[in-house]
Amino acid sequence: MKQKFYTIGSFEFPADVQIIKGKLESEGIPVFLLDENTLNTDPLISNAIGGVKLQVYYKDSERALEIYNEIRAYALDDNGSLVVCPNCKAKRSEVYFERKGIFYKLFPFFEKRKYKCLNCGIITKPQ
């Protein structure tokens, strides 16, 4: 069976996805937000259900990903500069949390911040 929807990304809070949704819709791409109303009702369960999922029709996925990659916010270091991957030198990293163990699942804000390069996939710690 052919997939009808493609998930572009997941966001912790419904407000985080609104600018991207607006940009995609302004480009003529229909957007669907999965679990948005659930998290508007109870934002504390965001980690449990995986956040708000931004979805588009599968036929629009390539164009939607191009637009998303143009406007997405990449991770910044403590000085406000883009994080540079030590492996491939790309400036396309996101903050990454493993959330291993029950403690970090319950209290994710205690976990040390790491970065995942969207170019090569390597995970690094801040320097």
Side-chain angles (χ1 to χ4, degrees):
M1 182 175 169
K2 187 176 177 184
Q3 286 184 327
K4 187 171 184 172
F5 297 103
Y6 180 82
T7 302
I8 300 291
S10 295
F11 301 84
E12 190 171 1
F13 301 110
D16 296 343
V17 73
Q18 293 303 321
I19 292 175
I20 298 164
K21 177 184 180 234
K23 176 64 175 172
L24 291 173
E25 288 177 338
S26 74
E27 296 284 334
I29 299 173
V31 175
F32 306 91
L33 299 179
L34 190 62
D35 296 326
E36 176 188 25
N37 291 332
T38 304
L39 292 179
N40 279 332
T41 305
D42 188 0
L44 296 176
I45 64 168
S46 182
N47 289 333
I49 65 172
V52 178
K53 277 69 97 189
L54 174 70
Q55 296 184 328
V56 296
Y57 286 118
Y58 202 80
K59 64 180 177 62
D60 296 326
S61 62
E62 286 184 31
R63 178 72 179 124
L65 278 171
E66 287 175 15
I67 294 168
Y68 177 54
N69 286 329
E70 288 174 10
I71 64 171
R72 75 191 305 174
Y74 296 108
L76 301 175
D77 62 14
D78 294 335
N79 300 324
S81 302
L82 289 171
V83 172
V84 178
C85 175
N87 186 45
C88 68
K89 307 300 183 219
K91 294 182 179 181
R92 297 182 57 225
S93 295
E94 288 183 329
V95 176
Y96 176 79
F97 296 101
E98 291 177 315
R99 295 197 171 113
K100 285 187 177 179
I102 189 73
F103 180 76
Y104 291 125
K105 288 180 182 176
L106 292 173
F107 306 104
F109 42 86
F110 283 119
E111 186 176 354
K112 300 268 191 251
R113 182 178 43 187
K114 296 179 187 107
Y115 300 108
K116 181 177 182 178
C117 178
L118 299 173
N119 197 42
C120 69
I122 191 170
I123 298 170
T124 57
K125 295 179 182 178
Q127 300 175 10

PDB file of all heavy atoms in Angstrom, residues 65-91:
ATOM      1  N   LEU A  65      10.505  19.290   1.884  1.00  0.00           N
ATOM      2  CA  LEU A  65      11.799  19.136   2.561  1.00  0.00           C
ATOM      3  C   LEU A  65      12.784  20.214   2.127  1.00  0.00           C
ATOM      4  O   LEU A  65      13.551  20.721   2.952  1.00  0.00           O
ATOM      5  CB  LEU A  65      12.383  17.748   2.287  1.00  0.00           C
ATOM      6  CG  LEU A  65      11.854  16.631   3.158  1.00  0.00           C
ATOM      7  CD1 LEU A  65      12.346  15.276   2.651  1.00  0.00           C
ATOM      8  CD2 LEU A  65      12.256  16.839   4.604  1.00  0.00           C
ATOM      9  N   GLU A  66      12.781  20.575   0.851  1.00  0.00           N
ATOM     10  CA  GLU A  66      13.665  21.648   0.372  1.00  0.00           C
ATOM     11  C   GLU A  66      13.342  22.959   1.095  1.00  0.00           C
ATOM     12  O   GLU A  66      14.248  23.658   1.559  1.00  0.00           O
ATOM     13  CB  GLU A  66      13.489  21.849  -1.130  1.00  0.00           C
ATOM     14  CG  GLU A  66      14.085  20.784  -1.990  1.00  0.00           C
ATOM     15  CD  GLU A  66      13.774  20.986  -3.468  1.00  0.00           C
ATOM     16  OE1 GLU A  66      13.337  22.092  -3.852  1.00  0.00           O
ATOM     17  OE2 GLU A  66      13.963  20.033  -4.241  1.00  0.00           O
ATOM     18  N   ILE A  67      12.062  23.284   1.187  1.00  0.00           N
ATOM     19  CA  ILE A  67      11.642  24.523   1.859  1.00  0.00           C
ATOM     20  C   ILE A  67      11.982  24.467   3.333  1.00  0.00           C
ATOM     21  O   ILE A  67      12.513  25.427   3.900  1.00  0.00           O
ATOM     22  CB  ILE A  67      10.134  24.755   1.638  1.00  0.00           C
ATOM     23  CG1 ILE A  67       9.852  25.017   0.162  1.00  0.00           C
ATOM     24  CG2 ILE A  67       9.624  25.895   2.507  1.00  0.00           C
ATOM     25  CD1 ILE A  67       8.386  24.967  -0.210  1.00  0.00           C
ATOM     26  N   TYR A  68      11.703  23.340   3.964  1.00  0.00           N
ATOM     27  CA  TYR A  68      11.995  23.183   5.396  1.00  0.00           C
ATOM     28  C   TYR A  68      13.482  23.350   5.674  1.00  0.00           C
ATOM     29  O   TYR A  68      13.879  24.033   6.612  1.00  0.00           O
ATOM     30  CB  TYR A  68      11.497  21.820   5.874  1.00  0.00           C
ATOM     31  CG  TYR A  68      11.811  21.506   7.308  1.00  0.00           C
ATOM     32  CD1 TYR A  68      11.440  22.371   8.327  1.00  0.00           C
ATOM     33  CD2 TYR A  68      12.466  20.336   7.655  1.00  0.00           C
ATOM     34  CE1 TYR A  68      11.723  22.081   9.653  1.00  0.00           C
ATOM     35  CE2 TYR A  68      12.747  20.041   8.969  1.00  0.00           C
ATOM     36  CZ  TYR A  68      12.376  20.915   9.966  1.00  0.00           C
ATOM     37  OH  TYR A  68      12.661  20.624  11.278  1.00  0.00           O
ATOM     38  N   ASN A  69      14.322  22.762   4.839  1.00  0.00           N
ATOM     39  CA  ASN A  69      15.766  22.868   5.050  1.00  0.00           C
ATOM     40  C   ASN A  69      16.292  24.282   4.824  1.00  0.00           C
ATOM     41  O   ASN A  69      17.320  24.661   5.371  1.00  0.00           O
ATOM     42  CB  ASN A  69      16.513  21.871   4.159  1.00  0.00           C
ATOM     43  CG  ASN A  69      16.381  20.465   4.676  1.00  0.00           C
ATOM     44  OD1 ASN A  69      16.260  20.227   5.869  1.00  0.00           O
ATOM     45  ND2 ASN A  69      16.373  19.506   3.772  1.00  0.00           N
ATOM     46  N   GLU A  70      15.590  25.079   4.009  1.00  0.00           N
ATOM     47  CA  GLU A  70      15.989  26.473   3.788  1.00  0.00           C
ATOM     48  C   GLU A  70      15.706  27.344   5.003  1.00  0.00           C
ATOM     49  O   GLU A  70      16.454  28.282   5.284  1.00  0.00           O
ATOM     50  CB  GLU A  70      15.237  27.058   2.592  1.00  0.00           C
ATOM     51  CG  GLU A  70      15.678  26.546   1.252  1.00  0.00           C
ATOM     52  CD  GLU A  70      14.793  27.051   0.121  1.00  0.00           C
ATOM     53  OE1 GLU A  70      13.954  27.942   0.357  1.00  0.00           O
ATOM     54  OE2 GLU A  70      14.943  26.538  -1.001  1.00  0.00           O
ATOM     55  N   ILE A  71      14.630  27.068   5.723  1.00  0.00           N
ATOM     56  CA  ILE A  71      14.208  27.975   6.795  1.00  0.00           C
ATOM     57  C   ILE A  71      14.409  27.425   8.195  1.00  0.00           C
ATOM     58  O   ILE A  71      14.224  28.163   9.157  1.00  0.00           O
ATOM     59  CB  ILE A  71      12.721  28.379   6.627  1.00  0.00           C
ATOM     60  CG1 ILE A  71      11.810  27.182   6.768  1.00  0.00           C
ATOM     61  CG2 ILE A  71      12.512  29.095   5.324  1.00  0.00           C
ATOM     62  CD1 ILE A  71      10.343  27.531   6.821  1.00  0.00           C
ATOM     63  N   ARG A  72      14.784  26.189   8.336  1.00  0.00           N
ATOM     64  CA  ARG A  72      14.900  25.609   9.675  1.00  0.00           C
ATOM     65  C   ARG A  72      16.031  26.256  10.466  1.00  0.00           C
ATOM     66  O   ARG A  72      17.003  26.759   9.904  1.00  0.00           O
ATOM     67  CB  ARG A  72      15.074  24.100   9.600  1.00  0.00           C
ATOM     68  CG  ARG A  72      16.454  23.678   9.172  1.00  0.00           C
ATOM     69  CD  ARG A  72      16.591  22.232   8.837  1.00  0.00           C
ATOM     70  NE  ARG A  72      16.175  21.350   9.885  1.00  0.00           N
ATOM     71  CZ  ARG A  72      16.110  20.037   9.774  1.00  0.00           C
ATOM     72  NH1 ARG A  72      16.451  19.448   8.642  1.00  0.00           N
ATOM     73  NH2 ARG A  72      15.727  19.301  10.760  1.00  0.00           N
ATOM     74  N   ALA A  73      15.883  26.239  11.765  1.00  0.00           N
ATOM     75  CA  ALA A  73      16.889  26.811  12.654  1.00  0.00           C
ATOM     76  C   ALA A  73      17.863  25.705  13.066  1.00  0.00           C
ATOM     77  O   ALA A  73      17.450  24.668  13.579  1.00  0.00           O
ATOM     78  CB  ALA A  73      16.225  27.407  13.881  1.00  0.00           C
ATOM     79  N   TYR A  74      19.133  25.948  12.834  1.00  0.00           N
ATOM     80  CA  TYR A  74      20.155  24.984  13.229  1.00  0.00           C
ATOM     81  C   TYR A  74      20.722  25.367  14.590  1.00  0.00           C
ATOM     82  O   TYR A  74      20.580  26.492  15.046  1.00  0.00           O
ATOM     83  CB  TYR A  74      21.257  24.914  12.167  1.00  0.00           C
ATOM     84  CG  TYR A  74      20.759  24.391  10.838  1.00  0.00           C
ATOM     85  CD1 TYR A  74      20.623  25.231   9.745  1.00  0.00           C
ATOM     86  CD2 TYR A  74      20.387  23.061  10.698  1.00  0.00           C
ATOM     87  CE1 TYR A  74      20.146  24.749   8.536  1.00  0.00           C
ATOM     88  CE2 TYR A  74      19.911  22.576   9.496  1.00  0.00           C
ATOM     89  CZ  TYR A  74      19.796  23.418   8.424  1.00  0.00           C
ATOM     90  OH  TYR A  74      19.324  22.938   7.230  1.00  0.00           O
ATOM     91  N   ALA A  75      21.383  24.417  15.227  1.00  0.00           N
ATOM     92  CA  ALA A  75      21.899  24.608  16.580  1.00  0.00           C
ATOM     93  C   ALA A  75      22.989  25.686  16.623  1.00  0.00           C
ATOM     94  O   ALA A  75      23.828  25.779  15.722  1.00  0.00           O
ATOM     95  CB  ALA A  75      22.462  23.296  17.107  1.00  0.00           C
ATOM     96  N   LEU A  76      22.934  26.480  17.687  1.00  0.00           N
ATOM     97  CA  LEU A  76      23.932  27.519  17.930  1.00  0.00           C
ATOM     98  C   LEU A  76      24.748  27.155  19.157  1.00  0.00           C
ATOM     99  O   LEU A  76      24.228  26.586  20.117  1.00  0.00           O
ATOM    100  CB  LEU A  76      23.254  28.869  18.157  1.00  0.00           C
ATOM    101  CG  LEU A  76      22.362  29.392  17.027  1.00  0.00           C
ATOM    102  CD1 LEU A  76      21.670  30.670  17.456  1.00  0.00           C
ATOM    103  CD2 LEU A  76      23.183  29.614  15.765  1.00  0.00           C
ATOM    104  N   ASP A  77      26.036  27.522  19.147  1.00  0.00           N
ATOM    105  CA  ASP A  77      26.872  27.284  20.322  1.00  0.00           C
ATOM    106  C   ASP A  77      26.658  28.400  21.340  1.00  0.00           C
ATOM    107  O   ASP A  77      25.803  29.271  21.156  1.00  0.00           O
ATOM    108  CB  ASP A  77      28.338  27.139  19.924  1.00  0.00           C
ATOM    109  CG  ASP A  77      28.925  28.380  19.284  1.00  0.00           C
ATOM    110  OD1 ASP A  77      28.305  29.473  19.373  1.00  0.00           O
ATOM    111  OD2 ASP A  77      30.013  28.276  18.691  1.00  0.00           O
ATOM    112  N   ASP A  78      27.421  28.394  22.413  1.00  0.00           N
ATOM    113  CA  ASP A  78      27.263  29.389  23.483  1.00  0.00           C
ATOM    114  C   ASP A  78      27.591  30.814  23.026  1.00  0.00           C
ATOM    115  O   ASP A  78      27.184  31.778  23.653  1.00  0.00           O
ATOM    116  CB  ASP A  78      28.126  29.013  24.690  1.00  0.00           C
ATOM    117  CG  ASP A  78      27.653  27.730  25.353  1.00  0.00           C
ATOM    118  OD1 ASP A  78      26.447  27.408  25.219  1.00  0.00           O
ATOM    119  OD2 ASP A  78      28.475  27.046  25.983  1.00  0.00           O
ATOM    120  N   ASN A  79      28.327  30.953  21.933  1.00  0.00           N
ATOM    121  CA  ASN A  79      28.685  32.268  21.406  1.00  0.00           C
ATOM    122  C   ASN A  79      27.700  32.772  20.353  1.00  0.00           C
ATOM    123  O   ASN A  79      27.880  33.847  19.790  1.00  0.00           O
ATOM    124  CB  ASN A  79      30.092  32.231  20.792  1.00  0.00           C
ATOM    125  CG  ASN A  79      31.134  31.850  21.811  1.00  0.00           C
ATOM    126  OD1 ASN A  79      31.042  32.228  22.969  1.00  0.00           O
ATOM    127  ND2 ASN A  79      32.129  31.099  21.385  1.00  0.00           N
ATOM    128  N   GLY A  80      26.668  31.970  20.043  1.00  0.00           N
ATOM    129  CA  GLY A  80      25.676  32.371  19.049  1.00  0.00           C
ATOM    130  C   GLY A  80      26.054  32.025  17.624  1.00  0.00           C
ATOM    131  O   GLY A  80      25.391  32.446  16.686  1.00  0.00           O
ATOM    132  N   SER A  81      27.122  31.258  17.442  1.00  0.00           N
ATOM    133  CA  SER A  81      27.552  30.834  16.102  1.00  0.00           C
ATOM    134  C   SER A  81      26.984  29.453  15.802  1.00  0.00           C
ATOM    135  O   SER A  81      26.716  28.669  16.706  1.00  0.00           O
ATOM    136  CB  SER A  81      29.076  30.760  16.031  1.00  0.00           C
ATOM    137  OG  SER A  81      29.638  32.009  16.351  1.00  0.00           O
ATOM    138  N   LEU A  82      26.815  29.170  14.504  1.00  0.00           N
ATOM    139  CA  LEU A  82      26.346  27.835  14.123  1.00  0.00           C
ATOM    140  C   LEU A  82      27.353  26.781  14.555  1.00  0.00           C
ATOM    141  O   LEU A  82      28.560  26.978  14.445  1.00  0.00           O
ATOM    142  CB  LEU A  82      26.145  27.755  12.606  1.00  0.00           C
ATOM    143  CG  LEU A  82      24.959  28.534  12.046  1.00  0.00           C
ATOM    144  CD1 LEU A  82      25.011  28.554  10.531  1.00  0.00           C
ATOM    145  CD2 LEU A  82      23.652  27.938  12.521  1.00  0.00           C
ATOM    146  N   VAL A  83      26.845  25.654  15.053  1.00  0.00           N
ATOM    147  CA  VAL A  83      27.705  24.545  15.472  1.00  0.00           C
ATOM    148  C   VAL A  83      28.302  23.902  14.227  1.00  0.00           C
ATOM    149  O   VAL A  83      27.596  23.594  13.271  1.00  0.00           O
ATOM    150  CB  VAL A  83      26.888  23.508  16.275  1.00  0.00           C
ATOM    151  CG1 VAL A  83      27.705  22.270  16.560  1.00  0.00           C
ATOM    152  CG2 VAL A  83      26.378  24.127  17.565  1.00  0.00           C
ATOM    153  N   VAL A  84      29.628  23.706  14.249  1.00  0.00           N
ATOM    154  CA  VAL A  84      30.341  23.105  13.128  1.00  0.00           C
ATOM    155  C   VAL A  84      30.628  21.652  13.463  1.00  0.00           C
ATOM    156  O   VAL A  84      31.183  21.340  14.513  1.00  0.00           O
ATOM    157  CB  VAL A  84      31.665  23.851  12.836  1.00  0.00           C
ATOM    158  CG1 VAL A  84      32.424  23.192  11.688  1.00  0.00           C
ATOM    159  CG2 VAL A  84      31.400  25.314  12.540  1.00  0.00           C
ATOM    160  N   CYS A  85      30.264  20.745  12.562  1.00  0.00           N
ATOM    161  CA  CYS A  85      30.506  19.323  12.759  1.00  0.00           C
ATOM    162  C   CYS A  85      32.011  19.044  12.696  1.00  0.00           C
ATOM    163  O   CYS A  85      32.669  19.447  11.730  1.00  0.00           O
ATOM    164  CB  CYS A  85      29.778  18.517  11.682  1.00  0.00           C
ATOM    165  SG  CYS A  85      30.129  16.743  11.743  1.00  0.00           S
ATOM    166  N   PRO A  86      32.573  18.361  13.702  1.00  0.00           N
ATOM    167  CA  PRO A  86      34.010  18.072  13.662  1.00  0.00           C
ATOM    168  C   PRO A  86      34.382  17.038  12.604  1.00  0.00           C
ATOM    169  O   PRO A  86      35.529  16.948  12.199  1.00  0.00           O
ATOM    170  CB  PRO A  86      34.304  17.540  15.066  1.00  0.00           C
ATOM    171  CG  PRO A  86      32.990  17.068  15.578  1.00  0.00           C
ATOM    172  CD  PRO A  86      31.940  17.887  14.920  1.00  0.00           C
ATOM    173  N   ASN A  87      33.402  16.287  12.117  1.00  0.00           N
ATOM    174  CA  ASN A  87      33.667  15.243  11.137  1.00  0.00           C
ATOM    175  C   ASN A  87      33.657  15.773   9.703  1.00  0.00           C
ATOM    176  O   ASN A  87      34.607  15.571   8.951  1.00  0.00           O
ATOM    177  CB  ASN A  87      32.636  14.118  11.300  1.00  0.00           C
ATOM    178  CG  ASN A  87      32.915  12.938  10.415  1.00  0.00           C
ATOM    179  OD1 ASN A  87      34.037  12.482  10.301  1.00  0.00           O
ATOM    180  ND2 ASN A  87      31.883  12.430   9.768  1.00  0.00           N
ATOM    181  N   CYS A  88      32.573  16.459   9.318  1.00  0.00           N
ATOM    182  CA  CYS A  88      32.433  16.890   7.916  1.00  0.00           C
ATOM    183  C   CYS A  88      32.464  18.412   7.745  1.00  0.00           C
ATOM    184  O   CYS A  88      32.352  18.905   6.637  1.00  0.00           O
ATOM    185  CB  CYS A  88      31.152  16.326   7.318  1.00  0.00           C
ATOM    186  SG  CYS A  88      29.642  17.025   8.014  1.00  0.00           S
ATOM    187  N   LYS A  89      32.570  19.139   8.859  1.00  0.00           N
ATOM    188  CA  LYS A  89      32.659  20.611   8.863  1.00  0.00           C
ATOM    189  C   LYS A  89      31.378  21.309   8.400  1.00  0.00           C
ATOM    190  O   LYS A  89      31.392  22.497   8.112  1.00  0.00           O
ATOM    191  CB  LYS A  89      33.843  21.116   8.025  1.00  0.00           C
ATOM    192  CG  LYS A  89      35.170  20.501   8.378  1.00  0.00           C
ATOM    193  CD  LYS A  89      35.553  20.761   9.809  1.00  0.00           C
ATOM    194  CE  LYS A  89      36.917  20.196  10.106  1.00  0.00           C
ATOM    195  NZ  LYS A  89      37.023  19.603  11.397  1.00  0.00           N
ATOM    196  N   ALA A  90      30.263  20.583   8.324  1.00  0.00           N
ATOM    197  CA  ALA A  90      28.984  21.195   7.940  1.00  0.00           C
ATOM    198  C   ALA A  90      28.439  22.020   9.097  1.00  0.00           C
ATOM    199  O   ALA A  90      28.722  21.742  10.267  1.00  0.00           O
ATOM    200  CB  ALA A  90      27.982  20.112   7.546  1.00  0.00           C
ATOM    201  N   LYS A  91      27.642  23.011   8.783  1.00  0.00           N
ATOM    202  CA  LYS A  91      27.017  23.859   9.802  1.00  0.00           C
ATOM    203  C   LYS A  91      25.524  23.569   9.854  1.00  0.00           C
ATOM    204  O   LYS A  91      24.701  24.460   9.886  1.00  0.00           O
ATOM    205  CB  LYS A  91      27.265  25.331   9.487  1.00  0.00           C
ATOM    206  CG  LYS A  91      28.711  25.722   9.595  1.00  0.00           C
ATOM    207  CD  LYS A  91      28.906  27.195   9.327  1.00  0.00           C
ATOM    208  CE  LYS A  91      30.372  27.572   9.467  1.00  0.00           C
ATOM    209  NZ  LYS A  91      30.580  28.993   9.226  1.00  0.00           N
TER     210      LYS A  91
END
